[in-house]
Amino acid sequence: MKIAVIGQSLFGQEVYCRLREEGHEVVGVFTVPDKDGKADPLGLKAEQDGVPVFKFPRWRAKGRALPEVVAQYGALGAELNVLPFCSQFIPMEVISAPRHGSIIYHPSLLPRHRGASAINWTLIHGDKKGGFTIFWADDGLDTGDLLLQKECEVLPDDTVSSLYNRFLFPEGVKGMVQAVKLISEGKAPRLPQPEEGATYEGIQRKETARIDWDQPAEAIHNWIRGNDKVPGAWTEACGQKLTFFNSTLSTAGLEPEGEELPIPGAHRPGVVTKAGLVLFGNDGRMLLVKNIQLEDGKMIPAAHFFGRADSSALELTEEELGTAEAVRGAWKRILPSVLEVDESTDFFKSGAASVDVVRLVEEVKELCEGLELENEDVYMATTFGDFIQLLVRRLRGDDKETEGPIDYVEKAVNKLTLRMPHQLFIGGAFVDAEGGKTYETVNPTDGSVLCQVSLAQVSDVDKAVAAAKDAFENGLWGKISARDRGRLLYRLAELMEQHQEELATIEALDAGAVYTLALKTHVGMSVQTFRYFAGWCDKIQGSTIPINQARPNRNLTMTRREPIGVCGIIIPWNYPLMMLSWKTAACLAAGNTVVIKPAQVTPLTALKFAELTLKAGIPKGVVNVLPGSGSVVGQRLSDHPDVRKIGFTGSTEVGKHIMRSCALSNVKKVSLELGGKSPLLIFADCDLGKAVQMGMSSVFFNKGENCIAAGRLFVEDSIHDQFVRRVVEEVGKMKIGNPLDRDTSHGPQNHLAHLQKLLEYCQRGVEEGATLVCGGRQVPRPGFFFEPTVFTDVQDHMFIAREESFGPVMIISRFADGDVDAVLTRANATEFGLASGVFTKDINKALYISDKLEAGTVFINTYNKTDVAAPFGGFKQSGFGKDLGEAALNEYLRVKTVTFEY
């Protein structure tokens, strides 16, 4: 079909290009005259393609079409006029001339918002649905018959730019091409526009964009975003006209604390906070404005209104100077009327328009591979000098928003000065709990109080979930590429490694972990876990599936693996940082956001981790940390309707309760790593020295506070006594002491209640007739120290044979020589199935036993050998779901099936 394209802008250019790709002949392009020596993108592209281009300054004079213009148009022989975006008034002599008439794109769902500024009014009115219409042109104002409409959801914080870029531009281009196809096939409908629901609003201009403060916060927010970027909603304050941009109603966790900004007519003064300018509607609700344009045209972060911006200029390296010159070249190409681009050259005062902003951003991103740059940044730094400073800060990673001061608890210990956050972490900020409630966290080495920690309440959980939900649905986290997400997780891993001594020291103080072990395992494996899952971010993919065809048509089915949404992670006290990392790394790699509840007795490394996420550049709200009780925080997370997944490590009893709550609330996805009573089978044909060494580790590793600890050792009768003797000798060599001492091998139990439970556990073993070979008592020194303990002659019916101690207690039972099946039956006679082990030199026996053991992990001639790439999880009442390895990603993803017919 022969088409005349009448219009302008990048949108018009894209429609023009797509029509040519579809095989249509564009016989002429009619666009606006050059401005300041620059051609419109549509005309520029058509000229490059050799298509006739006409740049009439006007089509009519004194209400009549100009004959010479109509004649030039008519000579082209167009069969259809396509008007993708046109700011000129086209006479009916041209509109009606082609055989198929003319079609026009309009960025609203007609008949709503006829006239100019339709996108603005969609937002100003708070419409929940937006979209576009392609209609047949007539002599009315956007009143022609409907050809095609497509709608989309309007997000709470959409602006004109975001709605346009997300839907109206890309889908509008497709819609125009689809409309032309329908016309060429003779299938295009002509549906009369209904008058019911029709609205007409005039063009938005600066003088009409003043904010009316006597309305609710949501209406003010809609007014600001509906005028963002053009013409800009404004008010008078501090003796000048201030224009507000980047408004949001997402203020979860935000406290309006800062310097007041009096605004005439406002319900109450605004407050300049570290997050931006907090404004209030007449309903008392808050909204947040992040950018302010001053009367002189300079755009600043709202948080810097009272002069807190860093005005110091960076000194550029030789490489950065080279980048600056390359960027200067881009400015020159975009601003041809400017003879010389110097530090004071203003992008917009030199004639740049919004289309030039897009071009500049794309050119600079191409020059600086991997750079995150948005249109907003150009408006924030309009002069060349300011733009280069912004660019260099961005490239150096020094442009992160200034965070509010963190109220650290400082301690000089282990030749370090520890700086430990102790408040809740919600929406990227450390804040006090509701009502200022706190509790004491205790050092198990001496029983002293480390510090007061904020105690989260139900309302704090709701704030954290709201922040996580907003970050998932509206924030940067869901918009960046999977590869960029991986880059952020790699950076977080690097920061954890840089702070490993500090993190290990905090684990020693707060959890009683032996420092050398914490350095290698608690922290070391945490770093490895984040690195491993960072590598998975851009490798999460679906599949294509052959299905029965709907003949004569064909079908294509594919699957998408998508993040779930807001996840709650509830972690235990034995490995505070490592358990957090095992779950959180997979959760974030999959693209979710998270609310973490650390164990109440060990919150400090989780809070330090939260601080490192800020330093790594993880967007606000993606990670939230709530110290508090399980009955309050854990229960609310399990019940919350906006939480879509719970990952829990802890006792079977609590796991059952969580599972019930997840089912009753909103059928949450749940994964549980619960209690264990892992059997370790030691045969006479083993390497006895290694069996003793690994047997010791299987029980006493991390003071026995180890989910996969060997809860019961079955030793073949012929080596039983020798094995016990050698174990007791090794126990006598263990150094019990301060976990920060480098020669300590056995530190304090995690907390007092656990120590008391171990004393009761051993007492019951003695009462039931087991032989206490050594230990079983509290060490007579300050703190929560418990002697490494060994029991023998343990019968299957005894309490200590059935129940987990979760402490340094070795339970040894005999089994008859050569009776493999009998010992297997005894080993499996438990409701737990987390881990297991076998020591033998007979590979056939080892494989047979590994087949028969009912446990999620089987160790052969080793123990405690976990790795970030190997899936970890239990059977039976030890739970379900996996941590670590590729399998862990499935716990935080959902699979969507998409089927096409063509």
Side-chain angles (χ1 to χ4, degrees), residues 690-740:
K690 186 175 183 181
V692 170
Q693 175 194 354
M694 289 293 177
M696 292 282 293
S697 174
S698 75
V699 174
F700 301 123
F701 189 82
N702 197 47
K703 311 161 294 174
E705 295 168 354
N706 186 18
C707 50
I708 58 171
R712 191 174 181 193
L713 278 66
F714 294 92
V715 182
E716 199 161 11
D717 194 60
S718 59
I719 61 167
H720 173 274
D721 294 348
Q722 185 182 2
F723 178 85
V724 171
R725 183 176 65 255
R726 291 181 64 169
V727 163
V728 172
E729 289 174 1
E730 293 301 316
V731 168
K733 299 175 185 176
M734 293 174 68
K735 166 71 183 302
I736 301 173
N738 188 325
L740 290 173

Side-chain angles (χ1 to χ4, degrees), residues 370-674:
L371 175 71
E372 291 179 18
L373 193 68
E374 298 179 7
N375 296 357
E376 180 79 18
D377 297 316
V378 182
Y379 292 101
M380 294 292 291
T382 61
T383 67
F384 180 74
D386 288 345
F387 185 75
I388 291 299
Q389 289 286 311
L390 178 147
L391 193 63
V392 171
R393 291 182 192 277
R394 185 70 49 84
L395 289 168
R396 292 182 182 181
D398 296 336
D399 68 317
K400 304 304 176 190
E401 293 181 32
T402 304
E403 302 298 336
I406 299 175
D407 185 18
Y408 293 106
V409 171
E410 294 194 0
K411 285 190 177 296
V413 62
N414 201 26
K415 299 181 181 179
L416 299 168
T417 299
L418 301 182
R419 305 180 76 219
M420 301 180 290
H422 61 101
Q423 297 167 288
L424 313 182
F425 185 68
I426 299 175
F430 286 97
V431 296
D432 289 334
E434 181 75 23
K437 293 189 176 182
T438 63
Y439 70 98
E440 296 176 347
T441 187
V442 173
N443 183 347
T445 301
D446 57 13
S448 63
V449 174
L450 283 170
C451 64
Q452 295 287 327
V453 177
S454 292
L455 182 68
Q457 305 299 302
V458 169
S459 59
D460 297 312
V461 180
D462 291 343
K463 291 176 185 176
V465 171
K469 185 171 187 284
D470 182 62
F472 180 77
E473 294 179 351
N474 305 316
L476 182 63
W477 189 243
K479 298 173 185 174
I480 62 175
S481 70
R483 195 159 295 164
D484 285 339
R485 187 164 69 241
R487 183 179 55 80
L488 290 173
L489 294 186
Y490 275 123
R491 188 171 183 185
L492 177 58
E494 289 169 8
L495 284 166
M496 292 170 70
E497 189 168 54
Q498 290 170 19
H499 289 261
Q500 60 183 338
E501 290 86 0
E502 187 176 10
L503 289 165
T505 303
I506 296 173
E507 292 272 271
L509 293 178
D510 203 26
V514 172
Y515 174 74
T516 51
L517 176 65
L519 204 58
K520 178 180 182 297
T521 301
H522 293 234
V523 180
M525 194 171 188
S526 299
V527 172
Q528 291 175 27
T529 302
F530 271 97
R531 284 203 174 117
Y532 174 80
F533 282 108
W536 267 110
C537 288
D538 60 356
K539 301 169 188 68
I540 298 171
Q541 52 199 7
S543 58
T544 56
I545 303 169
I547 66 170
N548 289 336
Q549 306 292 344
R551 296 176 180 175
N553 291 343
R554 298 177 64 82
N555 292 98
L556 170 66
T557 292
M558 67 179 189
T559 59
R560 292 169 54 91
R561 299 170 74 200
E562 300 178 340
I564 295 171
V566 178
C567 299
I569 289 179
I570 304 170
I571 55 176
W573 43 258
N574 58 325
Y575 294 105
L577 183 63
M578 192 171 80
M579 292 294 100
L580 177 154
S581 300
W582 280 20
K583 297 184 189 300
T584 304
C587 176
L588 296 180
N592 301 286
T593 57
V594 66
V595 179
I596 300 168
K597 193 208 90 65
Q600 187 169 353
V601 292
T602 54
L604 296 181
T605 42
L607 293 171
K608 190 67 182 179
F609 168 82
E611 180 193 351
L612 296 181
T613 67
L614 283 180
K615 293 179 182 293
I618 305 291
K620 295 178 180 180
V622 172
V623 174
N624 305 270
V625 180
L626 300 179
S629 70
S631 60
V632 174
V633 180
Q635 184 64 59
R636 180 55 180 157
L637 284 173
S638 301
D639 291 338
H640 203 292
D642 290 333
V643 176
R644 294 296 172 185
K645 155 75 193 221
I646 291 288
F648 171 74
T649 296
S651 72
T652 299
E653 179 185 6
V654 174
K656 290 178 178 179
H657 182 81
I658 286 174
M659 193 172 175
R660 186 181 304 112
S661 297
C662 288
L664 293 175
S665 56
N666 59 347
V667 197
K668 290 177 181 64
K669 189 172 184 178
V670 61
S671 54
L672 305 171
E673 193 239 290
L674 307 177

